[in-house]
Amino acid sequence: MISSNVNLTELEILALDSDLNVADGHARQELSAGQQRIIDELSTLFQKAALQPIADLERTAHRTFFALLGQHRYPVGANPVLSCYASSVAMEILARSLATKTDAVALVHPTFDNIPDILRGVGLRLVPVEEDPLHLGPAAEAVPEGVGCVFVTTPNNPTGRVLSAERLAEIAEVCRERDVVLTLDTSFRGFDTRAHYDHYAVLEASGCRWAVIEDTGKLWATLDLKVGLLAYSGNIGLPIPKIYSDILLGVSPFILTLVERFAEDAANGGLEDLHAFIAEGRRIVRETLADVPGVSFPDPDSRVSVERVDLGALRCDDIWDELHKRQVYALPCTQFHWAEPSRGDRSLRIALARPHASVRAAAQELRAVLLAAG
Ligand code: EGV
């Protein structure tokens, strides 16, 4: 039995020491040859980071990372992009800032549970917005009455669904009319070229108040040396820099240098290789489970580094103990459905940013458990 009051991260912690850890969405695949060359030079990088002015390092890291994502324009000057030790730290800073001016946030449903937990943790009331009305039909449906902010994870975690530039513009227009802050968490955008358009240009063109959380942490297996970035509009009207300064002075220049080098490697072909690597992991999962009665894959178009598996008639709970006996750790989708947990009871999320041998072994164990239980 999975305890009903445990969050997804607590389940991810249980998995950390297993070879069949397909739970967390952090990057744990092998380094490519190009990435290994960067790691071989770490002591030189450390020395460079110690010598260079931090503002220069930060500017270069931001520029290189954003260019990789097709994010050509970003705030500099009066409201510069803020570097954090993780996207969840950026999230906490944003949530605390929002709570000074509003009491309710509309949030995409489903999504990773630490987003609703952080928002609720600062006292905000949440209104769910389902993915269909978010993406299709009148954009006003994506902005419920009475909220001070709309929060969208794009590509979404775990579904991989991407907000198009056209849809972003429509929602931003409604937000501007109603003076609602539009916030995006784009932590998984590196995996999906359909999200490599200039989001900030679209948001700025609308004139709405906006914030975006970016993440380097899902892409490269840098042992969790990563940054989360918090970008926001000059007109946001929230005490973001002040609250940032309550929590951080800045991030390590060594990490900024590492991000810059990994982003540069990615721009030189590494990102395409990573996309092919994730696609192959997804193919392995789908192929291994293809003959299991009732199993389906609800996100056929997803390109993010996680894959949902629908178990048909079975519930996660039915197979949990047996999966644990075999040291297989995936996530139940229950807690992603933060407003209606039962809707996630019959699907699992499998992390794909792992060596293919681990993905294959975990999928084979899952297949055996499902066949025995079904
Ligand atoms: C994912 C882990 C936090 C989170 C993992 C994640 N939890 N930060 N409390 O980083 O999809 O597995 O986003």
Side-chain angles (χ1 to χ4, degrees), residues 80-149:
V81 175
L82 299 170
S83 305
C84 306
Y85 277 111
S87 64
S88 299
V89 177
M91 181 72 213
E92 172 71 19
I93 291 165
L94 179 74
R96 278 185 55 189
S97 305
L98 281 168
T100 65
K101 296 281 160 69
T102 183
D103 56 9
V105 174
L107 173 63
V108 62
H109 188 257
T111 203
F112 195 78
D113 69 349
N114 87 321
I115 297 173
D117 286 346
I118 288 173
L119 292 169
R120 283 172 174 148
V122 299
L124 293 163
R125 176 172 63 82
L126 301 183
V127 180
V129 178
E130 298 295 332
E131 284 190 315
D132 276 346
L134 186 63
H135 291 272
L136 311 163
E141 304 280 305
V143 189
E145 294 294 336
V147 301
C149 170

Side-chain angles (χ1 to χ4, degrees), residues 245-263:
S245 76
D246 284 346
I247 296 175
L248 292 173
L249 169 63
V251 299
S252 159
F254 175 67
I255 297 179
L256 290 169
T257 306
L258 197 65
V259 164
E260 190 236 313
R261 296 300 305 273
F262 270 73

Side-chain angles (χ1 to χ4, degrees), residues 140-357:
E141 304 280 305
V143 189
E145 294 294 336
V147 301
C149 170
V150 172
F151 192 106
V152 180
T153 315
T154 173
N156 200 8
N157 177 7
T159 66
R161 205 147 163 189
V162 178
L163 204 59
S164 69
E166 296 70 30
R167 188 61 171 178
L168 178 61
E170 289 172 8
I171 296 172
E173 178 59 25
V174 179
C175 286
R176 189 197 54 77
E177 283 164 14
R178 301 206 201 148
D179 195 29
V180 167
V181 178
L182 180 51
T183 299
L184 308 178
D185 180 331
T186 60
S187 290
F188 280 88
R189 80 191 270 205
F191 293 106
D192 196 329
T193 50
R194 294 168 298 187
H196 293 190
Y197 64 87
D198 193 328
H199 290 58
Y200 308 174
V202 173
L203 291 162
E204 275 297 289
S206 79
C208 79
R209 299 156 67 207
W210 61 267
V212 179
I213 292 170
E214 311 268 0
D215 191 6
T216 74
K218 304 294 189 280
L219 288 174
W220 309 308
T222 47
L223 298 180
D224 277 344
L225 293 169
K226 59 185 179 180
V227 291
L229 302 177
L230 179 52
Y232 60 99
S233 60
N235 66 355
I236 196 162
L238 299 175
I240 289 179
K242 180 63 123 188
I243 292 180
Y244 177 90
S245 76
D246 284 346
I247 296 175
L248 292 173
L249 169 63
V251 299
S252 159
F254 175 67
I255 297 179
L256 290 169
T257 306
L258 197 65
V259 164
E260 190 236 313
R261 296 300 305 273
F262 270 73
E264 191 177 64
D265 174 79
N268 292 327
L271 193 63
E272 280 171 35
D273 293 347
L274 177 62
H275 291 170
F277 178 84
I278 296 297
E280 175 62 11
R282 176 167 272 114
R283 197 196 61 74
I284 289 170
V285 169
R286 292 182 182 175
E287 178 187 75
T288 306
L289 299 173
D291 64 346
V292 182
V295 162
S296 61
F297 303 97
D299 310 308
D301 283 344
S302 175
R303 297 186 195 169
V304 295
S305 62
V306 295
E307 172 79 346
R308 274 199 303 173
V309 179
D310 191 298
L311 306 179
L314 286 169
R315 300 154 51 92
C316 299
D317 248 355
D318 299 331
I319 57 168
W320 202 252
D321 291 341
E322 192 53 37
L323 284 178
H324 272 199
K325 248 183 242 164
R326 296 167 183 248
Q327 297 286 300
V328 180
Y329 293 87
L331 290 183
C333 287
T334 313
Q335 293 90 325
F336 286 94
H337 293 262
W338 54 269
E340 210 183 330
S342 63
R343 275 170 50 196
D345 280 351
R346 291 168 200 278
S347 43
L348 287 175
R349 191 196 76 169
I350 301 199
L352 303 174
R354 301 292 189 274
H356 286 154

